[in-house]
Amino acid sequence: MERLWAWLLALAAVSAPAVRSEEFLSDTPINNVVVDERSGRLYVGAVNALYQLGPGLDPQSRVETGPRRDHRLCTPPVTDACEEAADTDNHNKLLLVHGGADLLVVCGSVFRGICSLRNLSSVQQLVYFSDSKGEKSYVASAEDDVSVVGVLSYFTQDRDNLTVFLVGKGYGSHDSTKLISTRILRDYGDWVVFDSIVEASAVQANPFVLRYLHDFRLAFRDGGFVYFLFSRTLGVQDNKNFTFVSRMCENDHGYFSYTELQLNCSATNRFNKAQAAYVAAPGEVLARNLTDSGLYGTVSASDMVLFVTFSSDEEPSSSALCLYPLRSINQRLLQVVSSCYSHGGFIQGRPAVYSPYSSKAEELCGINNPKFRCGEEFLPSPLASKAEFALRAEPALVRKAHMTAVAVAVEEGHAVAFLGTAGGEVLKAHLSAHPEVFGRTPGDVSGDKVNKNLLLDASRQHLYVTTRKKVTRVPVQTCHLKTDCRSCVGLKDPYCGWCVLEGKSVHPLLSDARSFSPDMRSRKLSAPHICRKAASTEPSVQISVPALPRLGPSDRLQCVFDSLASDAVVLLDGPARVACSLPDPSQIPPPPQQQDFVSVPVKVLVNNRIEVTNGEYHFYSCAAAVRRNPNSPCVSCVSSSWGCQWNAELHSCSDEDGSVSGEHVIRPQQNCPQFESPEPLLVPVGFQTPISFQGRNLDFYKVTHARTHFSYDRQQEVNVSFHIRDRDSDRRIDSRLTVRLYNCSVQRGDCSLCRAAAPPFGCVWCPARRSCVFRQLCPAAEPVRCPAPHISDVVPRFGPLNGRISVTIRGSNMGVRAEDVRRIRVAGVDCVHREDRYSVSTSVVCEIGPARRAPPSDLPVEPSLSGPVELELDGGGRGTSQVLFTYRDPKPSGVRPSRGPAAGGTVLTISGEHLDTASRADVAVSVGGVPCEVLSFGPEITCRTGRYRGQKVPSDPLTVTVKYGRNTSRDAAAPFQYSENPKISDYVPRDSFLCGGRRILVLGNGFDLVQTATMRVRPASDEFSQDPTQVEFTQPALSKNDTVLQFESPAVSGTDGRSLRTFVQLDALQEELSSFSYHPDPAFNRLGPAPITATSVVIVTGRGFSRAMTAREAQAFVGDASCPVNILQDDKLILEAPSSPPRSRSRRQRRDTAADELDLVVKFGRGEWTVGSVYYARKDDVPLAAVVPAVVVPMLLFIAVSVYCYRRKSRQAEREYEKVKQQLDSLEDSVRDRCKKEFTDLMMEMEEQTSDPGEVRIPFLDYKTYTERNFFPPSENRAGADEPRISGRIQIPAARRATVAQALTQFSNLLNSKTFLIHFIRTLEARPDFNARCRGDLASLLTVALHGQLEFFTDVMRTLLLQLMDQHVLNKNPKLMLRRSETVVERMLCNWMSICLYQFLRDTAGEPLYKLFKALKHQVEKGPVDARLRRAKYTLTDTGLLGGDVDYQVLTLQVLVHGEGPDVTPVKVLSCDTITQVKEKIIDQVYRNLPFSQRPAVESVALEWRPGSTGQILSDLDLTSQRDGRWRRLNTLAHYNVRDNATLVLSRVLHTQSVLQNQDSHEERNVLLEDDCTFHLVRPADELDEVKSKRGSMKDKSMTKAITEIYLTRLLSVKGTLQQFVDDFFRSVLCSGSVPPAVKYFFDFLDEQAERHDNVDEETLHIWKTNSLPLRFWVNILRNPHFILDVHVTEVVDASLHVIAQTFMDACTKTEHKLSRESPSNKLLYAKEIPTYKKMVDDYYRGIRQMVPVSDQDMNTHLAEVSRQHTDQLNTQVALHQLYQYASKYYDAIIQSLDEDPAAQNKQLTLRLQQVAAALENKVTDL
């Protein structure tokens, strides 16, 4: 088919105004737009508003549709009973025009998607709306992102023809599952308006299967069918989208004809997801092309075609347009359906159909009856084609831009597509055999995505373009803007043609038919080629004009040569020609120099104003032809293209004239008299040389010979041309005489260069003149040999010891040929001559060998590594350099930087010794075999790394090798490592104005490896651009660290509206910021001189402000003072003016003291606009005489009073200071010694090496024990009988076990009903006797019971959390949410986190937690621990600190375990340890490889010491225990006098016994039972001590307190020792590189809800995240390591863990803790580290936000896997039984709650609970 430009026709036009685009702006985002074809009115459905617009977008009517009080969980009508209800935005979901009834169908997102009917003439008139008709009237979706489409149709019922509309709707979590529904538009029988009148369950979604999440794009009807276009996935595991068109018969009462056909765009279905679609006729040309393609059969111009734009999952930035004739769709559907009805569902032996929404296993296709009526009930449905039988189309157009909308029009048989893009453009494409985009629609490019509702008006002359908040009406063509034929043709617009007689580019429908070319097929105007010759004597010329329009009788034709006009006539014979009179020769300008003609522009005009065609006309002159070559005037004349002849006698060139003849006349192409063939051709400079030459046709001339002499010294050779003149007339005779002039001395400065000259030149070296001359000019004979060679330089001057590098020797007289060089020695080493690089006489290149080896040690001569260069030539000539060459060994050592990205581009700097050995050409650098491009060579070498090709990243440390020549390689001592490429995770903001300068933060990781970071912007390739050069705009990074790069966006100019692509260049790695957008600079309205008062603000108006700027970034200045920008909207800026008049920024204004006006300047990035001027309103001056008394006198009084008060306070402070000084002096002596001792202990502890606390396997708890301890933690207030148990069996008689088991299964199914479960939880929580402990038990039991359905459990938890969140936000206290576990859902969240983080604990955080616990336990037990007071010398808590000096020694005991062999185990203990403490330490050491639960209990073992032949049982108390009054001290090893290396025997006792039963006698037991006042290290103060203390003075008490606080230095010792373990644990928990998916999923959920609520700020969101994860889970695990580890936590260790946990809590809060002397010691202890930990928490939260989101599908898959792995380990039956106890206790309340809910009634939940109760406990019910 001919291309677009081949069928543009010359058209007629009328004048038109400039392009004007009407536009309509909406206050809220626009959802849908429809047009009424009859009236031309537009209806715009936006968020919370509905607009009625005229064809010109003039507003006619408006109605507010929202916000409305609603909630997704509320059932319409929404009343106060729905506590969750709140003002909710109403998104328009569907608009349908029902012209026959003058109705508009409007469906919104509120009230479950209920629709309304409005008057089509005035949308303010509500015709019908009802929210009380129940679920069948819910049409659209309540969710914003669910797509809805609809189309009007009909439905017959009882012979009545009813108007209905069919709706296609995706699945929303709160919607019905019907994909397709039929809705009636009037009341009929039992049906009410909007009722779903087809009860078909086949075509509906499954709420738990992702593949049914449809994205509907279009619904339409054609030929008795209704079609839906949508995309969906094929399976649960396959996330790729596929596009389908479904079809069913109109008036199908059961959707039995519903069939889906997959549409593929490209052979590989590269473009797989439909974005927008349009149905239109293709026109003649496109129909012919579709037919010729052979893919669709015969397509006529009137057939309907489905035009679809697709996006690609594989290439998100690309999109395509594909075409599907409806005839082809119907044929393929018929083939698929017929295969099911006649061939068992097979086509060519392959299965062709399947049922997309059914899991039925029975045979789908079993009907052998090809004849059926559409929609018969017996037909199998629904059907869908297999992917192998999809309808394929090749993309008609592929674009890099994302095409989001399409509309198609036909013009003169040609189809034109209008394609909206995500960038706000609307492209125009001609759909020909080779479709191409040829332009854009006029109007501003907003940058907002074009809505899929791209509409043409009724006349098809205007297009309605909808973006986010704007509808624009633009013409489909802008023909009138082209002012000449060529630009009109170049536009390639099917709507435009050139009107010849009017001289305009117009739309053809606007022109007079008689003015068009008769060739209606061509539609092309080609400018005529009228470049003809004309002598100045010719009277007229004929010009051929193709496609000459028909002229009327009154039309006058003219030819205009330059500015000279003459009449013209049309010649009727033959092709269209115009005869023009030529202008007078005197009016023709002369030809320019070196040219024998002059070009004159010529135009053919109609009626003296309309240009038909134009071109150039050549007027020649034979007399000027000789100018082309003055040395050959005759040849120039007769060889010209004008047919000139030469007159030798007159020496003139003229037009050929047959009347002039003779031998002196040379006619065109005849031979001219001329001279040629000079001899000799070589002429030396400075020597007179005779030249002879030949002549031809010289009968008319007489010739004599001459000698000539030349002088020239600029070049060796030059061509010289000369000519011959007629002596008599001094006129030139044609001469072709050229000789070569040469100079021997030029560039031949020595003898060798002279001898190298070519022999014909005759150059010799003249010793007398010491130069090279022509042989005839030298008086002496040429010497036999040239002088000895002279060496002037050697490059390089240093070489490696192994040689094999090239050395260049420069000088003179170094031979004539390469063979002349006999031998070269460099520093005494032979050098191999490189003959291929030899330059005559001046340069010799050779390759040196290795340096001379050192001689034997007995020889006194040592070789020198330096020496001259010696050169020997044939004939004996020798030369020695004065420059020395030195061999040396390069030693590279340092390499910096040591790491770089795998993409390469890192500039390495290699340092070392003698690196500048050899030359740059000899040096090559590699990194682990990867070449490194050498950039500079010298004392340091720099090179740029290449791309690393290895598989392992980061790589192993790679060797940096520097290679010198071919034989020397040296490895640098420092290695280099390729690391992972830096990754960009996000960037903010994402927009900039063209002026640039906006701060852009690029977030990611690995940026510390980058040396150079640059932001680059370049225009995308654009076929509309006339500038082929590729421009680029760059901006280097302002700052960078490992995770953040900061740029200023580059300023962009001269891009001709082309879309821009933005990249970040990170060394050699280039990453595209695909979503970064540039917007046109904002436009400001001029601000007139505006007055400013003390409290006024300045308002600047314009448009486009908010596209790429915020109030925080914008700057404004009044004069030289800055104005804060308080509010920035798209069309206005509100500035806060300075309170006092500033100075002017302009020097001119400063000089003009009378000028009160100040410039108001606005800066957006680098863009600066002076938007107007302002001035300050003057105030009346106050006299100075009134100011002085009013101000100065009160000031003096104030100063006097202040001085008096200050002196009095100073004296009082001095007295207080003296008191304090005396007290400090008295304390100094008493604490000096103690401070010295504590300081020494502190320094020793800080320097002590902290050993690895554990070498054994980490004792993790199994999942069952882990969940029991976390779900049901032990509580002091718990009564054993009330504590829920999930272990063991239910005690049920055997006869009822089967019944109970079945009932519990039914109860489990009941709990899996979301409606029942929420009612169950709400009812129990509402009971006043259901306390916090019961709520926690209920949540934990539910977690166990629903562990097999964690996806459902998560869904219920989300729902309850949303309700809790709304409640807190509504009560204005959102920060309190999740702070405590007072509700069931809060405890459910805690349990959910425990389940999801179990594996993370085992894999990541468990090890550092275990090491921290072991290190803390080791640190505590290495010092004394009071067994009674639970205080230790080494601890982290001041309340648990053991004061005073305790004398002790570290003992090593040799422990023998009775009955376990002769091996002894050394155990370290303290002499002050009690016997129980010693047993604990022995058990820890002896059984260190066993978890705590498998070790023997302390009470079950006895410890025996055998100092001699008899043994002694050691115990804490016996008759030998020391007594102090009524206090008895616990026995220690020191009490028994156990020495170091003593042997003790550990033996098991048969039964667990108390220490009293181990005593020897009844008397001893009685003595021990007398009282229980025992102590260990420190005796508690009794009554006597208290009386004694009362007698002491206050001074003594303060000294005692001060002395006690001295021991606090021990806290620092313990803290310093444990610091690394604390840091490791915090890092493992707060590492954003290994975040469990549950944490990312839940944090994203919190982020979404924070955006949903206006009063939730960043601090509140931070608190929510902290309360949900760190405080709810990690603090609990940190305080209770035995919840995950099989360990025993003592009270002393527990106290220190609480301090660390409190530090973790402080780090997670936003509140800044102000420290003082009264602050608790634990806060002071970690005060320095808490800011660091806070930053870790902030980075952790920020890192999680930047991660790739975890989809619902991925999270459900993860939860399902957890359920599968662990559910069998839990006793869900016991949990269900425990839960039923709650249901039984509150049975009546639950029944009442269910009865009050219609949804529960529909699901018969009350009945099901009654059935469970009847089975479990024989309850009497209403069954």
Side-chain angles (χ1 to χ4, degrees), residues 1319 1323-1324 1327 1785-1795:
H1319 275 285
T1323 302
L1324 267 60
R1327 307 301 297 176
K1785 183 177 180 181
Y1786 302 105
Y1787 179 81
D1788 294 336
I1790 297 173
I1791 292 293
Q1792 180 181 356
S1793 175
L1794 294 175
D1795 287 340

Side-chain angles (χ1 to χ4, degrees), residues 366-380:
I367 302 174
N368 292 316
N369 181 16
K371 297 181 180 180
F372 58 90
R373 189 170 65 86
C374 188
E376 288 290 356
E377 186 173 352
F378 63 85
L379 301 178

Side-chain angles (χ1 to χ4, degrees), residues 366-564:
I367 302 174
N368 292 316
N369 181 16
K371 297 181 180 180
F372 58 90
R373 189 170 65 86
C374 188
E376 288 290 356
E377 186 173 352
F378 63 85
L379 301 178
S381 65
L383 296 179
S385 70
K386 292 278 190 178
E388 296 85 350
F389 296 94
L391 182 61
R392 176 178 63 87
E394 287 303 317
L397 196 69
V398 176
R399 298 286 296 177
K400 281 295 183 185
H402 196 179
M403 294 186 287
T404 60
V406 59
V408 177
V410 176
E411 180 65 26
E412 295 291 328
H414 294 263
V416 180
F418 300 91
L419 302 166
T421 70
E425 297 179 314
V426 177
L427 307 177
K428 297 165 68 175
H430 173 217
L431 302 180
S432 61
H434 303 283
E436 59 178 340
V437 174
F438 59 84
R440 301 182 181 90
T441 59
D444 294 337
V445 178
S446 64
D448 296 326
K449 182 179 78 171
V450 176
N451 189 294
K452 67 184 180 71
N453 302 124
L454 193 61
L455 306 173
L456 289 161
D457 66 1
S459 67
R460 297 295 189 266
Q461 296 306 304
H462 290 86
L463 191 70
Y464 295 110
V465 182
T466 306
T467 54
R468 185 171 180 267
K469 290 187 178 182
K470 183 169 69 173
V471 181
T472 309
R473 179 177 182 260
V474 296
V476 296
Q477 49 80 23
T478 54
C479 307
H480 60 281
L481 297 181
K482 300 303 176 181
T483 58
D484 59 83
C485 179
R486 284 190 176 86
S487 64
C488 179
V489 172
L491 191 61
K492 299 183 180 180
D493 191 336
Y495 282 95
C496 298
W498 184 253
C499 178
V500 179
L501 297 186
E502 293 292 337
K504 295 180 180 178
S505 176
V506 294
H507 189 280
L509 298 181
L510 303 177
S511 302
D512 188 353
R514 75 176 182 87
S515 301
F516 285 88
S517 166
D519 182 11
M520 295 302 292
R521 293 172 300 169
S522 174
R523 302 199 69 174
K524 174 188 175 183
L525 172 66
S526 59
H529 181 70
I530 53 176
C531 301
R532 299 286 185 266
K533 66 174 183 177
S536 57
T537 58
E538 293 186 12
S540 64
V541 65
Q542 296 181 3
I543 300 175
S544 176
V545 183
L548 183 68
R550 296 187 299 271
L551 301 180
S554 61
D555 293 328
R556 179 187 175 197
L557 200 62
Q558 284 182 306
C559 295
V560 179
F561 293 88
D562 198 4
S563 59
L564 306 173

Side-chain angles (χ1 to χ4, degrees), residues 1145-1398:
R1145 300 177 79 186
S1146 169
R1147 293 184 178 179
R1148 184 182 64 183
Q1149 283 192 354
R1150 291 180 188 175
R1151 291 193 298 266
D1152 185 9
T1153 57
D1156 293 330
E1157 294 183 4
L1158 299 169
D1159 286 340
L1160 176 60
V1161 178
V1162 177
K1163 284 190 67 177
F1164 286 177
R1166 290 200 187 93
E1168 185 172 309
W1169 295 267
T1170 301
V1171 299
S1173 59
V1174 296
Y1175 63 91
Y1176 280 78
R1178 293 182 175 274
K1179 297 181 179 179
D1180 296 334
D1181 295 334
V1182 180
L1184 183 62
V1187 173
V1188 174
V1191 176
V1192 176
V1193 174
M1195 187 180 298
L1196 294 175
L1197 291 175
F1198 175 75
I1199 293 174
V1201 173
S1202 300
V1203 170
Y1204 171 75
C1205 294
Y1206 173 74
R1207 290 178 59 84
R1208 182 174 181 182
K1209 289 291 183 181
S1210 297
R1211 286 193 293 268
Q1212 183 177 354
E1214 290 176 0
R1215 289 194 296 268
E1216 293 293 334
Y1217 173 72
E1218 291 297 330
K1219 285 184 181 181
V1220 173
K1221 186 177 180 181
Q1222 291 175 4
Q1223 292 177 5
L1224 290 175
D1225 290 341
S1226 62
L1227 284 172
E1228 185 176 358
D1229 293 336
S1230 62
V1231 302
R1232 182 181 293 112
D1233 295 336
R1234 195 171 300 278
C1235 282
K1236 186 181 298 182
K1237 185 176 184 303
E1238 292 300 330
F1239 181 74
T1240 303
D1241 290 344
L1242 171 63
M1243 296 306 295
M1244 292 175 61
E1245 290 298 330
M1246 293 298 289
E1247 294 175 1
E1248 182 178 346
Q1249 295 284 343
T1250 303
S1251 61
D1252 189 359
E1255 301 287 345
V1256 298
R1257 179 178 57 86
I1258 301 174
F1260 287 112
L1261 294 175
D1262 61 87
Y1263 186 80
K1264 180 176 182 294
T1265 310
Y1266 166 78
T1267 53
E1268 284 184 354
R1269 294 189 180 183
N1270 280 275
F1271 294 177
F1272 306 102
S1275 173
E1276 296 179 359
N1277 299 326
R1278 271 189 199 277
D1282 295 338
E1283 184 173 353
R1285 301 288 183 184
I1286 57 171
S1287 58
R1289 284 189 165 187
I1290 309 172
Q1291 300 301 322
I1292 302 172
R1296 297 196 67 243
R1297 284 178 185 171
T1299 303
V1300 172
Q1302 183 179 2
L1304 288 179
T1305 302
Q1306 294 176 359
F1307 187 57
S1308 175
N1309 294 335
L1310 199 55
L1311 289 177
N1312 277 278
S1313 170
K1314 186 174 180 181
T1315 304
F1316 174 81
L1317 186 55
I1318 291 177
H1319 275 285
F1320 182 57
I1321 294 172
R1322 285 179 178 172
T1323 302
L1324 267 60
E1325 281 190 315
R1327 307 301 297 176
D1329 57 338
F1330 201 72
N1331 55 25
R1333 193 193 75 185
C1334 294
R1335 294 173 182 175
D1337 291 345
L1338 175 63
S1340 298
L1341 290 171
L1342 285 173
T1343 308
V1344 175
L1346 299 175
H1347 196 283
Q1349 296 288 338
L1350 284 178
E1351 308 98 312
F1352 172 71
F1353 179 84
T1354 305
D1355 182 41
V1356 173
M1357 182 186 72
R1358 281 174 57 106
T1359 302
L1360 294 174
L1361 279 173
L1362 287 173
Q1363 297 173 4
L1364 181 67
M1365 199 173 297
D1366 292 342
Q1367 178 183 348
H1368 279 282
V1369 172
L1370 187 62
N1371 295 335
K1372 307 299 183 182
N1373 55 357
K1375 294 182 181 179
L1376 299 180
M1377 192 184 75
L1378 304 178
R1379 178 166 294 185
R1380 300 182 182 88
S1381 295
E1382 295 179 348
T1383 62
V1384 174
V1385 67
E1386 288 174 309
R1387 186 63 194 176
M1388 289 172 69
L1389 174 61
C1390 186
N1391 295 343
W1392 187 78
M1393 283 291 182
S1394 301
I1395 290 172
C1396 296
L1397 297 186
Y1398 174 70

Side-chain angles (χ1 to χ4, degrees), residues 1668-1741:
S1668 61
L1669 179 65
L1671 303 190
R1672 188 165 297 276
F1673 179 76
W1674 286 121
V1675 169
N1676 191 36
I1677 291 294
L1678 187 54
R1679 286 179 173 176
N1680 304 285
H1682 57 285
F1683 280 12
I1684 182 63
L1685 303 170
D1686 193 350
V1687 295
H1688 174 60
V1689 183
T1690 63
E1691 292 185 27
V1692 179
V1693 173
D1694 181 70
S1696 295
L1697 285 173
H1698 273 63
V1699 173
I1700 300 175
Q1702 183 61 48
T1703 302
F1704 188 76
M1705 293 170 64
D1706 293 341
C1708 293
T1709 61
K1710 281 286 191 181
T1711 307
E1712 296 294 334
H1713 300 282
K1714 295 184 178 180
L1715 300 177
S1716 63
R1717 294 180 58 187
E1718 288 74 22
S1719 298
S1721 300
N1722 58 348
K1723 290 191 180 294
L1724 294 172
L1725 197 60
Y1726 283 95
K1728 181 180 178 183
E1729 286 77 14
I1730 283 180
T1732 302
Y1733 296 152
K1734 281 181 179 289
K1735 184 179 184 301
M1736 289 173 61
V1737 173
D1738 291 339
D1739 292 344
Y1740 179 63
Y1741 289 173

Side-chain angles (χ1 to χ4, degrees), residues 1726-1768:
Y1726 283 95
K1728 181 180 178 183
E1729 286 77 14
I1730 283 180
T1732 302
Y1733 296 152
K1734 281 181 179 289
K1735 184 179 184 301
M1736 289 173 61
V1737 173
D1738 291 339
D1739 292 344
Y1740 179 63
Y1741 289 173
R1742 189 181 306 110
I1744 293 177
R1745 180 174 289 181
Q1746 294 168 2
M1747 287 173 54
V1748 177
V1750 177
S1751 65
D1752 290 338
Q1753 180 187 5
D1754 294 339
M1755 192 64 213
N1756 288 340
T1757 303
H1758 172 71
L1759 293 172
E1761 180 64 19
V1762 174
S1763 296
R1764 186 188 64 79
Q1765 290 179 349
H1766 302 299
T1767 300
D1768 293 341

Side-chain angles (χ1 to χ4, degrees), residues 175 338 584 599 736 854-855 875 898 949 1173 1529 1563 1720 1789:
D175 302 335
S338 298
D584 187 85
S599 295
R736 291 192 294 176
S898 60
R949 302 292 182 180
S1173 59
R1529 182 189 295 270
E1563 178 185 358

